[in-house]
Amino acid sequence: MITSTTGPQPADFADVRATNLTVVLRFVREHAPCSRADIAASTGLNKATVSSLVADLIDRRLVRETGLTENRVGRPATMLVLDGSPYAAIGVEISVDTVSAVATDLAGERLLTWRRSFSGGDSVNQGMAGVGAIVRRVVGRMAKEERQVLGLAVAVPGLIDVQGTVRIAPNLGWRDADIGGDLTKALRDPGFPIQVDNDANLAALAEQRFGAHAGASDLIYLTGEMGVGAGIILDGRLRRGGRGHSGEIGHVQLDPDGPACHCGRHGCLEAMAGIGAVLRKDPSPAEIQVEIEEVVRLARSGDPESLSTLDSVGRSLGKGVSILANLLDPEVVILGGYYVPLAPWLLPAVHEELGHRVVAGGCHVVASTLGHDAAALGGAARVLDSVDSGRLPGGLSRIP
Amino acid sequence: MITSTTGPQPADFADVRATNLTVVLRFVREHAPCSRADIAASTGLNKATVSSLVADLIDRRLVRETGLTENRVGRPATMLVLDGSPYAAIGVEISVDTVSAVATDLAGERLLTWRRSFSGGDSVNQGMAGVGAIVRRVVGRMAKEERQVLGLAVAVPGLIDVQGTVRIAPNLGWRDADIGGDLTKALRDPGFPIQVDNDANLAALAEQRFGAHAGASDLIYLTGEMGVGAGIILDGRLRRGGRGHSGEIGHVQLDPDGPACHCGRHGCLEAMAGIGAVLRKDPSPAEIQVEIEEVVRLARSGDPESLSTLDSVGRSLGKGVSILANLLDPEVVILGGYYVPLAPWLLPAVHEELGHRVVAGGCHVVASTLGHDAAALGGAARVLDSVDSGRLPGGLSRIP
């Protein structure tokens, strides 16, 4: 007997309507301002159906009519845009030295970006008290703006299982922590879903929705924080693997005779192309930012030692990226975190290695344009993704 | 503007019926013999809908009633099974030394398994003449049995683009070959679809449908032929990458100081864990089978040199598999081809390496149970997958 969890699911007419609502919502998101006739013409849905669907989306305050009309022959068409003023999506990123929070409206416009320092050495309880405090303030601000929070997603640098439990976050020293449960308690059952995910995964979602390569269906994001991890989008969706632990590229071995890694082996990607390799010492979280700025200054000034180090790190990074390119054939690999300011010196070496190593010939590699809180923004993206997949606020709702 | 090719598509009522037909067909495939009431109870579709869908599937001769009835209180229920006697799916595998052809019925039962020797050194034209000859014979046999051929898929060891063109098949010496077009001509427009895919991809589909881990949603197949390639199934579907070139693990570098690879670099997986590493020489296609049997005989007899070689190859293979496990977190990695007879000696070393190297802890690795024509069988599986996705023969049909 063959059992499969992935075949088509039986559908009924309520499903059809829910699907079509999300199709129209996505169309408006992508093409606003647009008319009902535009939607009908592009989706193939008939005009009466579109009118009914739009009315439903207006009722839910997801879409609104603008005063604008389209210049065209015949009756002027009222234009539609995303509304979403009553809603907010919240993303939070826990990293070794900071907690960041981002809130966006339904269209993905940023409502706030807050950051506070954080001590990765804190216990889960101490750490989560700090996270709870910032999240409570964000939720309070949204309440003040009379926005309904659609959901909250938290990015953690570590192995997160499919239930959202942090199995291990080595650089935070956390293990088997139900931080989603902790936050639910800290917020006293806030009535919106709280999700926990790996930082690379959420940053990849941010790139897919907001980045320079938004909409790419095969995209990999590589974090350049204390650790190096990959968020893997294939065929338009994040691929988490069987237990949710995909993307663990940091300890892939590039050279058995390479430098010692803190994992106990030698020549791991993190040891050869991580922040420690750039700084040529074990980095202290609080000082990384300043020290990376110093490396950038030296590289700019043409310091031969710095340039040589960055070339070597770039080559190792290129080896790592070539593994991703050979195995997964992405359209683009996006370098995040501290790789971004270093990209002008890393990318030439990365591209040279890729030219030698990628069997199918090359691979696009670029620096992220989303800034250091890509994973926090990705938390908001994940919440918006839920809406786009049919978890519509108000009225009839379909859980994807 | 965000454009995405992956969002939900607008649906209409014809789609709903087509989806539900495939849901019922899959249910019968997985649970036959079963009654209409079983289908209704398990899918949530109402009984009248199920009756109408079953009638349609019976009309198409995809499902038939058996004489059997279920013992239950009340009216006895007529049991349903897959019919499919009028249909066949054909898979063909081109490898360096043989061409294999497999035909199955709709239920996946093998109708024939043919193999003929093949010279990988032949030009595309010569080679395809041989392939055309065997395929014509298979199609002729199916016609004699009064079976309609649902489709044909051809497995090739090489880079195949998304259009099915063989970009490069290094061990065959083929480049930019439209072998699907060649076969269509050789068969004089046979009226069924002909697809071309990478051998590892199709073998992975065979495992997903017919193997010991059938139904696994995250599964990777590793070929052990002249080359080493990976077929990657994540979230239930084959992931081909942006250009269709995923799975190129053979030239991922395990050790920059490793043995020379025929690609010009050193320490590639193929050089360290390919057939050449097992045989300790550049293998000649015609002799591999015999030579591998000799290695197995020596290993069985406890020959220390052979055992040491297999241990070393197993360790390198373990390094390669650990990269897959760390990046993609599959439920299982399945070793195919010549790895199968060698598995008793390779797997202990593979597992030991995985224990050290996989961040999330271990990974299931097993030898394929499907035999040497897994990719040919996978061609048939790909054709059956099309049926299960809605490309139903006869009557109303939906192209997925």
Side-chain angles (χ1 to χ4, degrees):
Chain A
M1 193 187 80
I2 297 168
T3 53
S4 171
T5 54
T6 54
Q9 298 300 307
D12 62 29
F13 298 149
D15 284 336
V16 172
R17 188 165 174 88
T19 299
N20 289 343
L21 278 172
T22 69
V23 167
V24 172
L25 182 64
R26 286 176 63 101
F27 186 87
V28 176
R29 178 191 296 292
E30 290 164 14
H31 300 98
C34 60
S35 68
R36 289 167 176 82
D38 296 336
I39 298 171
S42 293
T43 60
L45 295 166
N46 74 51
K47 286 183 188 179
T49 304
V50 169
S51 287
S52 156
L53 294 165
V54 167
D56 192 339
L57 293 172
I58 289 174
D59 278 353
R60 293 164 193 263
R61 300 186 61 190
L62 293 166
V63 163
R64 66 183 170 81
E65 295 182 334
T66 65
L68 295 171
T69 54
E70 202 175 24
N71 284 326
R72 63 163 86 195
V73 179
R75 200 155 59 103
T78 309
M79 302 305 275
L80 301 165
V81 294
L82 278 192
D83 183 358
S85 59
Y87 299 111
I90 303 176
V92 171
E93 176 174 0
I94 302 175
S95 69
V96 183
D97 54 343
T98 50
V99 181
S100 307
V102 167
T104 75
D105 69 9
L106 189 73
E109 294 298 320
R110 283 200 197 213
L111 302 171
L112 64 80
T113 303
W114 287 349
R115 187 179 295 190
R116 58 184 283 174
S117 66
F118 181 76
S119 171
D122 282 353
S123 68
V124 176
N125 283 347
Q126 280 179 293
M128 287 311 296
V131 174
I134 191 171
V135 171
R136 264 196 308 273
R137 279 188 57 207
V138 174
V139 171
R141 169 67 71 92
M142 293 302 107
K144 210 163 160 187
E145 292 184 9
E146 299 186 343
R147 288 178 185 272
Q148 180 191 335
V149 176
L150 297 168
L152 164 68
V154 185
V156 178
L159 287 180
I160 320 295
D161 67 22
V162 283
Q163 282 78 39
T165 303
V166 178
R167 274 199 53 203
I168 180 163
N171 292 318
L172 297 173
W174 294 1
R175 191 179 269 277
D176 298 321
D178 174 22
I179 69 169
D182 294 347
L183 268 180
T184 303
K185 272 183 223 147
L187 296 173
R188 296 180 188 166
D189 296 320
F192 52 78
I194 297 178
Q195 299 168 306
V196 179
D197 207 336
N198 171 270
D199 57 346
N201 284 350
L202 291 182
L205 291 182
E207 293 291 347
Q208 186 189 33
R209 182 174 283 267
F210 301 115
H213 291 262
S217 66
D218 300 274
L219 171 162
I220 299 177
Y221 183 94
L222 214 52
T223 63
E225 304 291 342
M226 281 284 280
V228 179
I232 298 170
I233 289 174
L234 298 174
D235 295 326
R237 287 190 177 277
L238 199 56
R239 302 299 165 189
R240 293 189 160 81
R243 295 166 300 179
H245 300 330
S246 72
E248 289 300 318
I249 195 173
H251 299 284
V252 163
Q253 190 179 50
L254 303 180
D255 184 354
D257 299 320
C261 183
H262 55 83
C263 74
R265 285 190 303 280
H266 285 78
C268 298
L269 177 70
E270 260 180 46
M272 296 187 70
I275 296 309
V278 173
L279 301 179
R280 283 176 295 175
K281 63 174 186 183
D282 235 10
S284 144
E287 288 154 24
I288 293 181
Q289 178 86 39
V290 173
E291 295 189 5
I292 292 287
E293 280 166 17
E294 176 63 7
V295 172
V296 168
R297 195 190 61 75
L298 286 166
R300 275 215 188 100
S301 73
D303 173 61
E305 206 178 327
S306 300
L307 292 176
S308 156
T309 300
L310 289 172
D311 181 71
S312 154
V313 167
R315 284 185 194 288
S316 296
L317 189 57
K319 287 188 190 182
V321 173
S322 76
I323 295 174
L324 292 171
N326 278 318
L327 288 183
L328 301 174
D329 188 23
E331 292 162 55
V332 61
V333 175
I334 298 170
L335 305 180
Y338 293 112
Y339 288 141
V340 177
L342 303 171
W345 299 278
L346 297 175
L347 281 177
V350 168
H351 281 122
E352 203 178 316
E353 289 297 318
L354 289 174
H356 300 153
R357 291 172 185 276
V358 180
V359 174
C363 170
H364 216 53
V365 187
V366 298
S368 173
T369 54
L370 294 180
H372 239 294
D373 49 12
L377 186 61
R382 181 162 168 185
V383 173
L384 297 179
D385 284 350
S386 301
V387 175
D388 282 353
S389 316
R391 197 189 286 255
L392 300 183
L396 168 76
S397 160
R398 185 175 66 124
I399 308 304
Chain B
M1 195 189 80
I2 297 167
T3 52
S4 171
T5 54
T6 54
Q9 298 301 305
D12 62 29
F13 299 150
D15 284 337
V16 172
R17 187 164 175 90
T19 299
N20 289 344
L21 278 172
T22 69
V23 167
V24 172
L25 181 65
R26 286 176 63 101
F27 186 87
V28 176
R29 179 191 297 291
E30 290 164 14
H31 300 96
C34 61
S35 68
R36 289 169 177 81
D38 296 336
I39 299 169
S42 293
T43 60
L45 294 166
N46 74 51
K47 286 183 188 178
T49 304
V50 169
S51 287
S52 155
L53 294 166
V54 167
D56 192 338
L57 293 172
I58 289 175
D59 278 352
R60 293 165 192 264
R61 301 185 61 190
L62 293 166
V63 163
R64 65 183 170 83
E65 295 183 332
T66 66
L68 295 171
T69 54
E70 203 175 26
N71 284 326
R72 64 163 85 193
V73 178
R75 198 154 60 103
T78 308
M79 301 304 275
L80 301 166
V81 294
L82 278 193
D83 183 359
S85 59
Y87 299 111
I90 304 177
V92 170
E93 177 175 0
I94 302 175
S95 70
V96 183
D97 55 343
T98 49
V99 181
S100 308
V102 168
T104 75
D105 69 9
L106 190 73
E109 293 299 321
R110 283 199 197 215
L111 302 171
L112 63 81
T113 304
W114 287 348
R115 187 179 297 189
R116 59 184 283 174
S117 64
F118 181 75
S119 171
D122 283 351
S123 68
V124 176
N125 284 346
Q126 279 179 294
M128 287 310 296
V131 174
I134 193 170
V135 170
R136 264 196 307 272
R137 279 189 56 205
V138 175
V139 171
R141 170 66 72 91
M142 293 302 107
K144 211 163 159 185
E145 293 184 9
E146 298 186 345
R147 288 178 185 272
Q148 179 191 335
V149 176
L150 297 168
L152 164 67
V154 184
V156 178
L159 286 180
I160 320 295
D161 68 21
V162 283
Q163 282 79 38
T165 303
V166 178
R167 275 199 53 203
I168 181 163
N171 292 319
L172 298 174
W174 294 1
R175 191 178 269 277
D176 298 321
D178 174 21
I179 69 168
D182 294 347
L183 268 180
T184 304
K185 272 183 223 148
L187 296 173
R188 296 181 189 166
D189 296 319
F192 51 78
I194 297 178
Q195 300 169 304
V196 179
D197 207 336
N198 171 270
D199 57 345
N201 284 351
L202 290 183
L205 291 182
E207 293 290 347
Q208 186 189 32
R209 182 174 282 266
F210 301 115
H213 290 262
S217 66
D218 300 275
L219 171 162
I220 298 177
Y221 182 94
L222 213 53
T223 63
E225 305 291 343
M226 280 284 280
V228 180
I232 299 170
I233 289 174
L234 297 174
D235 294 325
R237 287 190 178 276
L238 199 55
R239 302 298 165 190
R240 294 189 159 81
R243 295 166 299 178
H245 300 331
S246 72
E248 289 300 318
I249 195 174
H251 300 283
V252 163
Q253 190 179 49
L254 302 180
D255 184 353
D257 299 321
C261 183
H262 53 84
C263 74
R265 285 191 303 279
H266 285 77
C268 298
L269 177 70
E270 262 182 43
M272 296 187 70
I275 296 309
V278 173
L279 302 178
R280 284 175 296 175
K281 63 174 185 183
D282 236 9
S284 144
E287 288 154 24
I288 293 180
Q289 178 85 38
V290 171
E291 296 189 4
I292 292 287
E293 279 166 18
E294 176 63 9
V295 172
V296 168
R297 195 190 62 76
L298 286 167
R300 275 215 188 99
S301 73
D303 172 59
E305 206 178 328
S306 300
L307 292 175
S308 155
T309 300
L310 289 171
D311 180 72
S312 154
V313 168
R315 284 185 195 288
S316 295
L317 189 57
K319 287 188 190 182
V321 173
S322 77
I323 295 174
L324 292 171
N326 278 318
L327 287 183
L328 301 174
D329 189 23
E331 292 162 56
V332 62
V333 176
I334 297 171
L335 305 180
Y338 293 112
Y339 288 140
V340 176
L342 303 171
W345 299 279
L346 297 175
L347 282 177
V350 168
H351 282 122
E352 205 179 314
E353 289 296 319
L354 289 174
H356 300 154
R357 290 172 186 277
V358 181
V359 174
C363 170
H364 216 54
V365 186
V366 299
S368 173
T369 55
L370 294 180
H372 238 294
D373 50 12
L377 185 61
R382 180 162 169 186
V383 173
L384 297 179
D385 284 352
S386 299
V387 175
D388 282 354
S389 315
R391 196 189 287 252
L392 300 183
L396 168 76
S397 158
R398 186 175 63 127
I399 309 304

